[in-house]
Amino acid sequence: MRNGQLQVVLPDYTPPAHAVYALYPENRYLPTRVRAFVDFLVSEFGGTPPWDKS
């Protein structure tokens, strides 16, 4: 297609799940924008981390 629209090329392919990690220094002051970003990541990708699963 040359009209600029996306086209499905592998309709039966399911990509593997990926983990997202946020690392930041632990200290008393965490900038609000960093806290907001981490909270966003948790809301989008959150769940029980692999190291806490039994």
Side-chain angles (χ1 to χ4, degrees):
M1 298 181 121
R2 292 184 179 250
N3 64 1
Q5 291 183 334
L6 295 177
Q7 183 177 14
V8 177
V9 293
L10 297 172
D12 297 327
Y13 175 73
T14 302
H18 293 284
V20 175
Y21 298 94
L23 302 174
Y24 51 90
E26 184 177 351
N27 59 22
R28 290 182 175 200
Y29 174 73
L30 185 62
T32 304
R33 63 180 177 239
V34 173
R35 178 79 261 163
F37 182 64
V38 170
D39 290 344
F40 166 76
L41 291 175
V42 170
S43 70
E44 290 296 312
F45 304 103
T48 305
W51 56 87
D52 284 344
K53 292 181 181 177
S54 301

